[in-house]
């Protein structure tokens, strides 16, 4: 009886069941498939979210913007063509501007970096000093990603001529970082850095950046020994506390 039931069971099986299971996809292929699927999902929800972020109450605005921020950080390439939606408005609170600055930095690429940097440079004169600092840092991050370095170097050097202590401090640190990666820009940068008076530098990180450049490119700065001498004379007055951002 058992043999008969087994034979009938085998006869009822379809041919597809008896075929061997297909090979499993490789981990790399699975990652590509997941990325492709997520990209399609992001594209479908992008327009509704961008519409919502322009309307509603301040609470709704921030909630939607926070979700957009998360998506932009995960898939910046999906949002690189709509970067203007992330421009800061003058009357927006600081916490909104910070999100937008991070989003602008993330979506920057070869096709939009010039426009984004141009916008970020406008924020450097912001009355909100922390936002102005973060805007300058954002410009530096984009420059270090090798997007339109030529134009960005010019913008950073313009910061050094604004005669604002915090702007000069942030710009000096970024110029130092830029020269570490792109030493070929030393001639243009040092010509401007050499005109900065160390007496006008209040922040330790700015002084450290200047000292590094004085040591690295002293052959291009005639007054380098005298500037270093003034910094050494006041060394005892330096504090180890972190600078205020």
């Amino acid at each position: 009886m058992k043999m008969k039931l087994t034979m009938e069971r085998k006869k009822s099986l379809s041919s597809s069941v008896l075929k061997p299971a297909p090979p499993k996809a490789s981990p790399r292929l699975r990652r590509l498939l997941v990325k492709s699927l997520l990209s399609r999902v992001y594209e479908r929800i992008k327009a509704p979210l961008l519409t919502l972020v322009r309307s509603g109450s301040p609470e709704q605005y921030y909630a939607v913007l926070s979700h957009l921020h998360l998506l932009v950080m995960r898939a910046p390439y999906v949002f690189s063509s709509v970067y203007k939606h992330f421009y800061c408005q003058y009357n927006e609170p600081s916490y909104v501007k910070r999100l937008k600055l991070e989003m602008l930095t993330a979506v920057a690429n070869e096709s939009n970096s010039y426009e984004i940097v141009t916008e970020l440079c406008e924020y450097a004169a912001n009355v909100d000093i922390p936002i102005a600092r973060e805007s300058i840092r954002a410009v530096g991050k984009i420059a270090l990603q090798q997007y339109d370095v030529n134009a960005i170097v010019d913008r950073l050097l313009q910061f050094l001529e604004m005669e604002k202590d915090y702007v000069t401090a942030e710009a000096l640190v970024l110029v130092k970082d830029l020269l570490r990666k792109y030493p070929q820009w030393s001639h243009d940068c040092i010509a401007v850095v050499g005109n900065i008076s160390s007496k006008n530098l209040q922040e330790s990180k700015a002084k450290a950046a200047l000292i590094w450049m004085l040591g690295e490119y002293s052959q291009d700065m005639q007054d380098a020994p005298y500037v270093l001498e003034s910094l050494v004379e006041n060394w005892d007055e330096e504090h180890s506390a972190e600078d205020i951002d």
Side-chain angles (χ1 to χ4, degrees):
M1 183 66 178
K2 185 181 292 187
M3 178 66 75
K4 184 178 181 180
L5 290 175
T6 303
M7 294 301 294
E8 290 178 354
R9 177 59 179 166
K10 288 184 177 181
K11 290 179 181 179
S12 66
L13 292 174
S14 64
S15 59
S16 60
V17 174
L18 297 176
K19 287 183 178 179
K24 293 183 178 180
S26 65
R28 183 173 180 275
L29 179 58
R30 286 200 298 269
R31 288 195 296 269
L32 291 174
L33 291 174
V34 170
K35 182 178 180 180
S36 176
L37 176 61
L38 288 176
S39 296
R40 292 198 296 270
V41 172
Y42 294 154
E43 285 289 350
R44 294 189 64 178
I45 65 176
K46 177 173 67 175
L49 285 175
L50 291 174
T51 300
L52 284 173
V53 84
R54 294 195 299 267
S55 60
S57 65
E59 293 79 9
Q60 176 184 322
Y61 174 80
Y62 182 68
V64 176
L65 188 66
S66 297
H67 282 80
L68 264 174
H69 176 269
L70 178 61
L71 296 177
V72 167
M73 294 299 109
R74 289 186 176 182
Y77 56 90
V78 176
F79 299 88
S80 60
S81 62
V82 293
Y83 61 91
K84 291 185 179 180
H85 286 81
F86 310 137
Y87 282 0
C88 298
Q89 303 299 318
Y90 179 78
N91 59 347
E92 289 177 334
S94 296
Y95 56 84
V96 169
K97 291 179 180 178
R98 288 192 184 93
L99 283 181
K100 288 188 170 182
L101 289 176
E102 292 180 10
M103 295 159 79
L104 285 172
T105 305
V107 301
N109 57 29
E110 293 181 1
S111 64
N112 62 21
S113 61
Y114 181 81
E115 289 78 9
I116 290 177
V117 167
T118 300
E119 181 70 13
L120 290 172
C121 289
E122 296 294 326
Y123 307 154
N126 198 299
V127 293
D128 187 339
I129 294 179
I131 293 300
R133 287 179 180 273
E134 291 186 32
S135 301
I136 299 171
R137 294 170 190 167
V139 172
K141 289 178 183 177
I142 294 174
L144 293 175
Q145 292 171 355
Q146 305 184 34
Y147 298 136
D148 202 2
V149 178
N150 188 9
I152 296 175
V153 168
D154 291 338
R155 300 304 177 87
L156 286 176
L157 296 180
Q158 289 175 15
F159 289 149
L160 295 176
E161 299 172 354
M162 290 181 65
E163 298 183 352
K164 292 185 177 182
D165 294 343
Y166 60 91
V167 173
T168 301
E170 296 294 340
L172 273 176
V173 173
L174 292 178
V175 169
K176 180 260 296 179
D177 292 340
L178 200 67
L179 290 179
R180 285 178 180 271
K181 188 170 184 178
Y182 306 112
Q184 65 269 27
W185 290 102
S186 61
H187 180 75
D188 295 329
C189 294
I190 296 304
V192 178
V193 171
N195 296 325
I196 297 176
S197 173
S198 61
K199 296 179 180 180
N200 297 329
L201 299 179
Q202 303 299 323
E203 299 184 18
S204 298
K205 61 183 179 182
K207 293 179 182 179
L210 179 60
I211 289 172
W212 181 86
M213 287 184 278
L214 289 171
E216 192 73 14
Y217 301 101
S218 58
Q219 70 277 7
D220 299 323
M221 303 172 70
Q222 294 181 353
D223 295 334
Y226 307 105
V227 177
L228 282 171
E229 183 179 2
S230 65
L231 290 169
V232 171
E233 289 176 353
N234 300 319
W235 188 257
D236 292 338
E237 300 176 7
E238 292 297 323
H239 303 286
S240 60
E242 293 182 359
D243 294 317
I244 298 175
D245 288 338

